[in-house]
Amino acid sequence: MAPRSRQKKEKQTHALLCYCENACPDGSPNGTCKTQIGGSCFSSVQQDEDEDGELYELRFYGCMSPSSDGGFWQCQTSPHLHGINVKCCDDTDYCNRDDELELIPRTTEPPAQTAAESVPNIHMIALVVSLFVCATVFLVMITIVYVTFKKRERRRRQTRLMDSIGIIQTSPLSELMEQSSGSGSGLPLLVQRTIAKQIQMERSIGKGRYGEVWLAKWRDEKVAVKIFFTTEEASWFRETEIYQTVLMRHENILGFIAADIKGTGSWTQMLLITDYHELGSLHDYLQKRVLNPSMLKKLALSLASGLAHLHTEIFGTPGKPAIAHRDIKSKNILVKRNGQCCIADFGLAVKYSSESDEIQIAPNTRVGTRRYMAPEVLDETIDSKSFESFKMADMYSVALVFWEMSRRCITTLRGTKSTTCEDYALPYHDVVPSDPSFDDMYAVVCAKAFRPPIPARWNDEDILVILSKIMQECWHSNPAVRLTSLRVKKTLFKLEIEGTEKIV
């Protein structure tokens, strides 16, 4: 940095506001970060290489702390030697906003110089020969070093990139997520790729129709890794896209960490790395445990809260589109250690933005798990051009999950101190086979209008009374009659605070 700039920084008495992109600290909204006193703003451009050898530009804007006087982002970096063009400024707020630096590819060639015109002599010839020999030896040494340490240098660049956005090599995952872009859309893609390469697989913990789930470790922290079958690339892409949605993060939605594709010419692995919850799915949890009313309230409210966040469109910059899950079931809901639910598996989800009035959906509307399909999906009368239709289909599925939860909630037998509850069962377990077909479900749900039974003992407990009313509203054959996720969330929240609440 020039002497004048250093003098200017010594006189600086307030923190600068800088434009940030791809290097924003956590909590900095709308593309803005704030330096420490004595800090500066920076903009940079570099050329990087993906695993296929394709070159692309990476641009970063952000804040430089007073202590960042060297390393990957130092302002004295020579773009010809390092392939990184960096510019720092500290004269005004947002002084880096309009900087569009020119990409200068990395080269080992010395800059061209204009030779001075002089009369050749023996000393000049000797000097030229000596310089040529030295340059040749130097280039040979650089070539050998470059070929030998190419892979190591790539890893080193990624580590420096992580340091540039405030990520320390020894940071735990919780700190990494706190230091993400601040938009709620997860870590930068290169950081995700770095994490994916450092994953250590331990054991398989589940298998579904789209892939297999493994327990793994990243720097001694447990994570879950979903490995998609090679035929399910579209599901991996859709789920990754949903998780990367701006403002997607929520305590009742499974925490996304990273996604990557690994492979060679003979095999390919599509990975999705998320938080690990040792209690497993709600389906498994309910088979092993009974619930008391307080536990049931927490599970039901957290499920409604997560779905309400999905269904709600957030306006602004950045904003969040509305999302419908389309495969709500107890196996796609995980139980956290604090007793709350979180929603997972977004391979069939659809997004909707009112600004473009466009629903991002595959042509086939008859997808999902047949046992949990709404009547309008089974008889194919769902309006695929209306996003509300998909939200209401989600609410039908939620009602069935509430029914599964409620069966496992204990109540006291009248006139005794004994408690009782029903055995765990899937919805419609007594009227359809274990793997029902579309025709099986259509005959029960649409033709006979059958719904799961409500036991009489549920009338003895407030939360069961409220949930039974919610279920009957939400699994109604007419989608327009069903409650919204936000209405269910507010009802259960008010019950948690004030006691019994009537459905309105």
Side-chain angles (χ1 to χ4, degrees):
M1 193 175 291
R4 179 178 298 179
S5 297
R6 285 199 295 269
Q7 293 172 4
K8 197 177 293 183
K9 293 187 79 168
E10 291 173 359
K11 296 178 182 179
Q12 185 179 325
T13 59
H14 69 284
L16 285 173
L17 295 176
C18 304
Y19 172 67
C20 65
E21 181 179 339
N22 293 329
C24 294
D26 184 45
S28 299
N30 301 327
T32 299
C33 62
K34 189 173 183 180
T35 69
Q36 301 175 15
I37 295 178
S40 59
C41 305
F42 78 86
S43 59
S44 71
V45 61
Q46 72 176 87
Q47 191 175 66
D48 206 347
E49 178 181 341
D50 61 20
E51 293 182 350
D52 298 326
E54 296 292 332
L55 299 177
Y56 61 96
E57 292 184 11
L58 276 176
R59 292 185 180 272
F60 295 87
Y61 301 82
C63 296
M64 180 78 73
S65 65
S67 61
S68 298
D69 55 355
F72 189 62
W73 289 113
Q74 62 179 345
C75 297
Q76 300 93 334
T77 299
S78 172
H80 289 284
L81 294 180
H82 299 282
I84 305 168
N85 196 0
V86 183
K87 180 180 179 182
C88 297
C89 61
D90 58 358
D91 46 350
T92 62
D93 289 341
Y94 304 105
C95 58
N96 66 331
R97 175 183 292 169
D98 298 322
D99 286 336
E100 289 289 339
L101 300 181
E102 178 184 0
L103 177 64
I104 303 177
R106 177 176 179 171
T107 178
T108 56
E109 296 290 342
Q113 297 180 353
T114 305
E117 295 181 3
S118 58
V119 179
N121 56 54
I122 189 67
H123 299 291
M124 181 60 70
I125 294 174
L127 179 60
V128 170
V129 171
S130 299
L131 289 175
F132 177 77
V133 171
C134 291
T136 302
V137 173
F138 176 75
L139 288 175
V140 170
M141 292 177 61
I142 288 296
T143 302
I144 294 173
V145 170
Y146 175 78
V147 172
T148 304
F149 296 102
K150 183 178 179 180
K151 290 185 179 180
R152 184 179 300 176
E153 180 63 22
R154 182 180 298 175
R155 280 190 234 107
R156 195 174 298 160
R157 287 201 304 268
Q158 291 177 341
T159 301
R160 287 169 176 170
L161 173 64
M162 293 172 71
D163 291 340
S164 73
I165 60 174
I167 298 177
I168 303 173
Q169 263 192 311
T170 57
S171 296
L173 281 172
S174 57
E175 291 184 16
L176 289 183
M177 301 314 298
E178 289 175 1
Q179 297 175 25
S180 65
S181 64
S183 65
S185 57
L187 294 166
L189 294 179
L190 283 182
V191 178
Q192 292 184 32
R193 289 171 54 192
T194 300
I195 293 175
K197 290 178 181 178
Q198 298 171 350
I199 290 293
Q200 296 176 333
M201 299 292 192
E202 291 200 343
R203 58 184 172 88
S204 175
I205 56 177
K207 194 170 185 179
R209 54 181 165 170
Y210 295 126
E212 191 171 7
V213 181
W214 282 67
L215 169 63
K217 280 192 175 181
W218 184 76
R219 292 180 181 160
D220 295 325
E221 293 191 55
K222 292 181 179 179
V223 295
V225 180
K226 186 174 181 180
I227 304 176
F228 287 75
F229 297 137
T230 53
T231 56
E232 298 297 337
E233 182 177 356
S235 295
W236 174 86
F237 183 82
R238 171 54 101 186
E239 195 159 358
T240 300
E241 181 186 21
I242 293 293
Y243 275 123
Q244 296 278 21
T245 302
V246 173
L247 300 179
M248 178 68 173
R249 295 193 69 82
H250 188 274
E251 63 177 339
N252 301 125
I253 294 174
L254 180 61
F256 168 75
I257 298 172
D260 195 15
I261 296 181
K262 297 168 61 177
T264 63
S266 58
W267 61 269
T268 301
Q269 277 190 336
M270 294 167 288
L271 306 180
L272 189 71
I273 304 167
T274 65
D275 291 342
Y276 170 70
H277 297 295
E278 59 190 28
L279 296 179
S281 70
L282 180 64
H283 173 79
D284 297 333
Y285 181 81
L286 293 176
Q287 294 184 69
K288 301 173 185 176
R289 294 172 175 81
V290 296
L291 309 176
N292 60 41
S294 177
M295 295 166 66
L296 178 58
K297 285 180 191 177
K298 185 175 290 188
L299 286 172
L301 176 58
S302 58
L303 173 56
S305 298
L307 192 61
H309 180 73
L310 274 183
H311 284 182
T312 302
E313 181 176 7
I314 300 175
F315 300 93
T317 306
K320 169 193 162 295
I323 299 172
H325 190 283
R326 298 178 72 217
D327 197 16
I328 293 290
K329 60 180 178 179
S330 54
K331 289 185 179 180
N332 286 346
I333 298 167
L334 302 178
V335 181
K336 301 165 68 173
R337 294 185 67 181
N338 64 2
Q340 295 187 8
C341 289
C342 63
I343 302 172
D345 290 272
F346 295 93
L348 299 176
V350 296
K351 296 198 292 187
Y352 171 76
S353 173
S354 59
E355 183 177 348
S356 61
D357 194 26
E358 179 183 358
I359 301 175
Q360 298 181 20
I361 179 178
N364 181 18
T365 60
R366 199 166 174 175
V367 292
T369 304
R370 293 184 286 270
R371 186 182 297 271
Y372 293 84
M373 282 183 178
E376 63 272 20
V377 179
L378 291 169
D379 63 16
E380 297 183 293
T381 60
I382 186 171
D383 182 4
S384 60
K385 296 181 180 179
S386 169
F387 184 73
E388 288 297 315
S389 300
F390 297 108
K391 289 165 61 175
M392 290 301 99
D394 277 354
M395 296 312 299
Y396 170 89
S397 303
V398 166
L400 298 183
V401 175
F402 281 165
W403 182 84
E404 292 178 66
M405 293 180 186
S406 298
R407 283 177 59 90
R408 302 298 286 158
C409 180
I410 58 174
T411 57
T412 303
L413 292 172
R414 293 182 183 180
T416 70
K417 294 183 179 180
S418 301
T419 58
T420 185
C421 69
E422 290 80 35
D423 293 334
Y424 175 76
L426 289 169
Y428 305 109
H429 68 103
D430 52 346
V431 290
V432 297
S434 59
D435 185 19
S437 65
F438 285 108
D439 292 337
D440 292 332
M441 294 309 302
Y442 175 84
V444 170
V445 176
C446 301
K448 298 178 182 179
F450 185 83
R451 296 293 183 272
I454 305 294
R457 72 173 186 89
W458 290 9
N459 293 322
D460 298 332
E461 178 59 52
D462 287 345
I463 180 61
L464 290 173
V465 172
I466 296 301
L467 280 178
S468 63
K469 292 180 180 179
I470 291 174
M471 292 174 211
Q472 293 173 74
E473 294 273 0
C474 289
W475 65 36
H476 197 284
S477 58
N478 182 359
V481 174
R482 297 171 197 160
L483 300 173
T484 64
S485 56
L486 185 59
R487 175 69 263 173
V488 174
K489 173 187 173 182
K490 289 182 177 179
T491 299
L492 294 174
F493 182 73
K494 194 167 185 180
L495 173 64
E496 180 76 14
I497 295 176
E498 300 179 6
T500 304
E501 164 68 3
K502 293 183 179 180
I503 304 292
V504 294

